[in-house]
Amino acid sequence: MDRRRTAARVGEEGDPHALAELVDLASDWSWSTDVSHRYTRVGEGLRNRTGLVPADLIGLRPWELPWVDATSATWITYRERIEKREPVTRTLALRGADGRIHHLELLGRPLMRKGTFLGYHGIGRDVTERIVTARALQESQQRYSEVVESVNEVIFRTDPDGRLTFLNRFWQTISGYRVEQSLGKPLVDFLHPDDREEAQTKLAKVGNGELPECNCELRLRTREGEIRWIEAAGRPVTDMDGMPQGLAGTLDDISSRKVAELTLKNVNQELEARVRLRTAELEASNRELEAFSYSVSHDLRAPLRAIDGFARILEEELDGALDQASRGHIERIRKATQRMAHLIDALIELARLTRQSLHKETFDLSELALQVIDELRAEEPERIVEVEITRGLMVTADRTLARVLIENLMRNAWKFSARQPVARISFRAERERDRRVFCVEDNGAGFDMAFAANLFRPFHRLHNSGEFSGTGIGLATVQRIIQRHGGLIWAESKPGQGARFYFTLGS
């Protein structure tokens, strides 16, 4: 406020004092306007700086000049200030006669003489070098920040007390803790309790100059309680006077390498023994399965065909002599043999899937699900079923087995939602930590989770055949296929509230 009053008094006392004020401002050129803010004088310094002719500006207002970066909104505050006779400042860009962009700073104050407002006078400065330097510095800092944040290891700084003062974003990836939560805390607080004392000693020695640097392997405890091995490297940081200011260094996640080192001891001998044992077990298993399949195909089918055939003969020969009860008994015999035949076919298919070699390829699992839904709609066109399938769920798996897998799950959802006026079925994928989990969900009959352990056991059904048809082999087949792909399957449900089947297909 004192400066404004002084400026006003200087302006009122006459041109010598006004000129003195402008000289004090150390300008590149001076300028003045009339009461309507049109230029009446522009100093030759403008020509020296930009090559522009000062006379070309006479009669123009500042906002009428061809500024490069100015809009009408730029001048709103400026014009409000001159209407109130207040000092003004503006930094703008203008293309000079040499074709280059010049950044000009304009500073002005109202010119008063004996209480009468005569216009504005002020100075101009070419601040191009300052603006360009500031932008270059900002760009350099931005590039530095991008490099630091793109590194796949933790970059850290600590103060002399070992508290963290800087962390890049990879810290959250490796530890699970947000950077903001971690700053200000000692680095050793995030280590395994058994490693803290050793780490504290080494870091302190580096910080006070006893050691030139440190390289040590430590265990980091993540936010989820997981233990990760890290390789810590640090160097002391000092100020201009050589006084210690803490540490700067990196933390590299070496968990994979460390686990490999710890497990590789004697692994070759153990691996060879396991391979031999596993090979023998698989050969024996395959022989048993082949024998079982042969027995089922030949030894069991013949008696079933005989039972069904004789029952049909009895039904035909005694057609007129059978009462209702006897006819019902024969019908149940034939249905039982047919059901047994279906079970035999399911068992053979299950055994075949176990022996079949995998031929993995990358394909769209969503497309298989859409194909299955189209087939189901064709089989029961009268049903009202709302289907939601997430598109583009690409997987690497055996296409044939994946088709069997998705068909069993989608048909289950279709079957158990049959009693709903409007059935709803969805197929989607969710991200759970570092794995992708697929889900088939329906709004059907559901089941009691107390019996969920029997879901994937052959022939164990949670609903009787009178309610819903089936052999009890479908989910067992699904589990075998998923296990062969190195995945997992589990379910969530409540009676009458539908079911959700989650599964993964390995890495």
Side-chain angles (χ1 to χ4, degrees):
M1 185 176 293
D2 292 338
R3 286 182 58 123
R4 294 181 183 178
R5 291 174 180 172
T6 301
R9 287 199 302 270
V10 170
E12 291 175 353
E13 291 172 1
D15 290 341
H17 296 285
L19 182 58
E21 182 182 21
L22 292 176
V23 172
D24 290 339
L25 291 173
S27 65
D28 290 331
W29 67 89
S30 60
W31 55 267
S32 59
T33 70
D34 58 16
V35 294
S36 62
H37 216 64
R38 297 179 184 275
Y39 284 116
T40 58
R41 181 178 57 83
V42 178
E44 282 297 313
L46 177 64
R47 189 198 304 268
N48 299 334
R49 289 287 182 174
T50 66
L52 299 175
V53 180
D56 293 344
L57 277 62
I58 303 302
L60 298 177
R61 297 183 176 93
W63 49 85
E64 295 173 345
L65 299 179
W67 303 104
V68 173
D69 57 351
T71 63
S72 57
T74 306
W75 296 100
I76 292 177
T77 304
Y78 184 93
R79 297 178 71 168
E80 289 177 350
R81 293 184 70 87
I82 65 174
E83 288 175 2
K84 297 177 183 178
R85 311 292 189 257
E86 296 178 348
V88 291
T89 302
R90 184 71 58 189
T91 300
L92 299 161
L94 190 69
R95 189 176 299 279
D98 55 2
R100 295 170 50 203
I101 299 296
H102 293 265
H103 297 274
L104 308 180
E105 182 181 51
L106 305 178
L107 300 92
R109 295 183 179 180
L111 177 62
M112 309 294 296
R113 184 173 297 165
K114 296 182 180 180
T116 302
F117 173 64
L118 301 180
Y120 269 76
H121 63 169
I123 64 167
R125 295 172 180 163
D126 187 345
V127 294
T128 303
E129 185 176 349
R130 187 184 74 192
I131 295 294
V132 170
T133 301
R135 288 181 178 176
L137 177 60
Q138 183 179 9
E139 290 174 1
S140 176
Q141 291 173 338
Q142 178 66 25
R143 287 194 296 270
Y144 173 78
S145 176
E146 290 172 354
V147 170
V148 169
E149 295 299 344
S150 67
V151 175
N152 286 332
E153 62 181 5
V154 177
I155 299 176
F156 72 91
R157 277 284 303 272
T158 69
D159 62 14
D161 296 323
R163 292 188 295 266
L164 293 165
T165 59
F166 173 81
L167 288 164
N168 64 342
R169 293 179 184 172
F170 196 70
W171 169 255
Q172 183 168 346
T173 301
I174 193 175
S175 72
Y177 293 98
R178 296 206 307 270
V179 171
E180 312 86 67
Q181 293 177 321
S182 305
L183 294 178
K185 296 180 180 179
L187 174 60
V188 295
D189 283 2
F190 297 95
L191 302 179
H192 190 282
D194 294 344
D195 292 349
R196 290 177 185 173
E197 184 176 351
E198 178 186 356
Q200 182 72 48
T201 301
K202 287 187 177 180
L203 295 176
K205 287 183 178 181
V206 175
N208 59 30
E210 293 182 41
L211 291 175
E213 61 181 13
C214 74
N215 286 280
C216 50
E217 296 179 355
L218 303 167
R219 287 168 293 178
L220 178 75
R221 188 164 61 182
T222 69
R223 187 172 181 271
E224 292 78 20
E226 180 186 358
I227 300 300
R228 289 178 178 266
W229 280 94
I230 59 171
E231 184 175 53
R235 291 178 176 272
V237 177
T238 59
D239 59 16
M240 297 295 291
D241 298 324
M243 298 300 294
Q245 297 297 306
L247 295 177
T250 60
L251 304 175
D252 191 14
D253 186 355
I254 60 169
S255 300
S256 299
R257 188 186 80 193
K258 197 66 179 178
V259 170
E261 290 176 357
L262 295 174
T263 57
L264 275 177
K265 295 178 180 179
N266 302 320
V267 72
N268 290 333
Q269 294 179 357
E270 293 180 8
L271 182 59
E272 290 176 1
R274 290 177 183 176
V275 168
R276 287 194 297 268
L277 177 61
R278 185 60 177 159
T279 301
E281 291 175 348
L282 287 174
E283 290 175 351
S285 177
N286 284 334
R287 286 194 297 270
E288 291 175 2
L289 285 172
E290 289 172 4
F292 172 76
S293 298
Y294 180 85
S295 175
V296 168
S297 299
H298 296 82
D299 298 344
L300 294 183
R301 286 184 185 276
L304 283 176
R305 285 194 296 269
I307 294 172
D308 183 64
F310 284 116
R312 186 175 66 255
I313 291 171
L314 285 174
E315 187 177 26
E316 292 173 354
E317 292 182 350
L318 302 176
D319 183 41
L322 291 175
D323 58 19
Q324 191 65 29
S326 299
R327 191 179 301 278
H329 295 327
I330 293 176
E331 183 178 352
R332 283 196 291 273
I333 291 172
R334 295 198 65 193
K335 285 184 177 180
T337 58
Q338 293 169 5
R339 175 172 170 74
M340 187 62 183
H342 289 319
L343 289 176
I344 290 171
D345 291 338
L347 280 172
I348 293 174
E349 179 66 14
L350 185 60
R352 185 186 66 80
L353 291 174
T354 303
R355 298 195 310 273
Q356 179 177 328
S357 59
L358 293 179
H359 300 284
K360 290 189 176 182
E361 58 182 296
T362 300
F363 58 91
D364 191 342
L365 193 59
S366 303
E367 288 299 321
L368 294 186
L370 288 169
Q371 293 172 15
V372 173
I373 288 297
D374 289 342
E375 294 172 6
L376 291 170
R377 289 191 188 280
E379 293 172 10
E380 297 184 74
E382 73 283 357
R383 283 191 57 184
I384 301 175
V385 183
E386 296 178 356
V387 179
E388 180 180 349
I389 296 177
T390 301
R391 302 301 180 94
L393 298 179
M394 306 300 295
V395 296
T396 300
D398 185 294
R399 183 189 290 269
T400 302
L401 295 183
R403 167 69 190 220
V404 176
L405 157 69
I406 205 69
E407 182 170 3
N408 272 287
L409 290 177
M410 298 298 280
R411 283 188 176 275
N412 259 16
W414 183 276
K415 175 173 63 177
F416 289 108
S417 61
R419 297 184 179 180
Q420 296 294 332
V422 178
R424 293 182 179 86
I425 299 172
S426 71
F427 175 53
R428 62 183 185 275
E430 304 171 355
R431 179 60 61 179
E432 192 176 281
R433 292 191 180 179
D434 59 347
R435 66 178 181 177
R436 185 170 55 162
V437 178
F438 299 94
C439 178
V440 175
E441 181 175 3
D442 65 73
N443 66 337
F447 56 85
D448 189 341
M449 288 295 291
F451 305 102
N454 294 327
L455 270 176
F456 306 105
R457 298 175 62 185
F459 308 121
H460 283 72
R461 294 170 47 83
L462 302 187
H463 302 85
N464 62 55
S465 57
E467 293 179 299
F468 300 99
S469 62
T471 62
I473 291 292
L475 289 178
T477 300
V478 168
Q479 186 185 49
R480 295 284 179 88
I481 293 172
I482 290 173
Q483 287 175 341
R484 294 206 62 195
H485 284 82
L488 297 171
I489 183 169
W490 65 96
E492 295 178 358
S493 181
K494 288 184 179 179
Q497 297 185 25
R500 292 170 299 283
F501 285 87
Y502 298 93
F503 65 92
T504 64
L505 286 174
S507 57

